[in-house]
Amino acid sequence: MPSVGVREILLVLVVCALIFGAKRLPGIARGLGAGIRNFKGSIGAPGEDDSGPGDDRRR
């Protein structure tokens, strides 16, 4: 499988700028970054309603 080079990355950026507009791209990137951080945080930290083995809390 061929590797992705600088030309391919530039082509994708130009197509995205044409589709979404240059003014909306930073907002889209910010939202994508926040979503990834949120996803990583939810995987690493146990939730409040998750009870592990040996948990003595009663509801």
Side-chain angles (χ1 to χ4, degrees), residues 50-59:
D50 292 341
S51 58
D55 193 3
D56 291 329
R57 288 184 291 169
R58 298 188 192 245
R59 296 182 186 186

Side-chain angles (χ1 to χ4, degrees), residues 13-34:
L13 290 176
V14 168
V15 169
C16 286
L18 289 174
I19 292 174
F20 297 113
K23 291 183 179 182
R24 290 185 58 195
L25 285 179
I28 292 171
R30 239 180 266 118
L32 183 64

Side-chain angles (χ1 to χ4, degrees), residues 3 14 27 29 48:
S3 64
V14 168
E48 291 179 2

